[in-house]
Amino acid sequence: METESSRHPTIRGVYALADTSLLAGAELIARVEAALRGGAAVVQYRDKSVDSARRLTEAQALRALCARHGATFIVNDDVDLALSVGADGVHLGRDDPAPALARVRLGPRALIGATCYDRLELAPAALGAGADHVAFGRFFPSSTKPGQIYASLDLLRAARASLSCPIVCIGGIRADNAAPLVAAGADALAVGNALFGPGVDSEAAARALAALWKR
């Protein structure tokens, strides 16, 4: 296991979406730790509530877990929270602060991701504004983002051919449908329900996803 001082945060592999709409509190922490044991390499904390005290407590606990397991810890949307807990970075969508502002607040070493949905042309602008990795999706039906338009494998292949940054895929991803995404150049697979849904063995699910890069 890596020590805190030797960690080099990266965006690669199983990217666990620790979404409090799926689980929270002690169960959230326990299930994320199980996913980390199974090989999750990135954890993103996602909480849309206004309960700032709970959000801070959960983010601190997840940050500590990731440090112990040598994993990267990302906060969704909230640059202030990411800064408060010493997160490795933040992920931003179209309604969030601009990557340039996040870069100023978090510094040159922070990992800043930008969602580009199904539009490759958004990626160069995001990277030029301070992001260092991008996400595309949804690629499959998703209960957490049911209204989003689909991204295609052709889009992913085009992104891989034109971008040198890490590429994250998101949206309805499971171990049994993700192999084409890895083959097309995905650096990381962002997964929520398939890791943390009801009745899911989070450790086994993470292990099955992590195995996709070993084939």
Side-chain angles (χ1 to χ4, degrees), residues 113-184:
T115 298
C116 296
Y117 309 96
D118 66 325
R119 296 175 58 192
L120 179 56
E121 69 271 17
L122 294 179
L127 295 169
D132 53 69
H133 62 282
V134 296
F136 295 99
R138 60 180 174 161
F139 281 89
F140 305 105
S142 168
S143 60
T144 56
K145 293 185 180 293
Q148 273 194 12
I149 194 166
Y150 286 104
S152 68
L153 277 177
D154 285 342
L155 168 71
L156 176 57
R157 293 187 188 102
R160 182 72 290 159
S162 62
L163 302 174
S164 59
C165 69
I167 296 172
V168 182
C169 293
I170 189 170
I173 294 170
R174 309 182 307 270
D176 63 357
N177 66 14
L181 300 177
V182 176

Side-chain angles (χ1 to χ4, degrees), residues 172-180 189 191 194 204-212 215:
I173 294 170
R174 309 182 307 270
D176 63 357
N177 66 14
L189 301 175
V191 183
R207 187 171 292 112
L209 285 159
L212 293 170
R215 293 181 181 176

Side-chain angles (χ1 to χ4, degrees), residues 5-6 14 32 55 57 61-62 65 71 93 97 104 108 111 133 141:
S5 61
S6 67
V14 181
V32 169
R55 296 175 78 244
T57 298
L62 292 174
L65 265 184
V104 170
L111 299 174
H133 62 282

Side-chain angles (χ1 to χ4, degrees), residues 11-215:
I11 301 295
R12 181 165 178 81
V14 181
Y15 187 132
L17 300 175
D19 191 333
T20 58
S21 69
L22 296 173
L23 37 89
E27 185 183 7
L28 173 75
I29 306 306
R31 296 280 294 278
V32 169
E33 184 161 30
L36 288 166
R37 289 196 304 268
V42 185
V43 173
Q44 183 191 122
Y45 176 60
R46 304 178 72 170
D47 182 276
K48 301 294 187 181
S49 77
V50 295
D51 188 342
S52 57
R54 178 179 59 77
R55 296 175 78 244
L56 179 61
T57 298
E58 289 178 343
Q60 288 173 328
L62 292 174
R63 171 71 178 91
L65 265 184
C66 288
R68 289 202 298 272
H69 286 268
T72 298
F73 181 58
I74 301 292
V75 171
N76 181 250
D77 297 347
D78 193 332
V79 175
D80 290 336
L81 181 60
L83 188 61
S84 295
V85 302
D88 295 307
V90 68
H91 191 85
L92 305 170
R94 73 179 114 214
D95 299 321
D96 300 323
L101 295 176
R103 179 60 67 199
V104 170
R105 293 291 310 284
L106 298 176
R109 299 183 64 185
L111 299 174
I112 297 177
T115 298
C116 296
Y117 309 96
D118 66 325
R119 296 175 58 192
L120 179 56
E121 69 271 17
L122 294 179
L127 295 169
D132 53 69
H133 62 282
V134 296
F136 295 99
R138 60 180 174 161
F139 281 89
F140 305 105
S142 168
S143 60
T144 56
K145 293 185 180 293
Q148 273 194 12
I149 194 166
Y150 286 104
S152 68
L153 277 177
D154 285 342
L155 168 71
L156 176 57
R157 293 187 188 102
R160 182 72 290 159
S162 62
L163 302 174
S164 59
C165 69
I167 296 172
V168 182
C169 293
I170 189 170
I173 294 170
R174 309 182 307 270
D176 63 357
N177 66 14
L181 300 177
V182 176
D187 294 289
L189 301 175
V191 183
N193 273 292
L195 283 175
F196 302 124
V200 174
D201 181 332
S202 299
E203 183 173 350
R207 187 171 292 112
L209 285 159
L212 293 170
W213 280 273
K214 300 174 182 177
R215 293 181 181 176

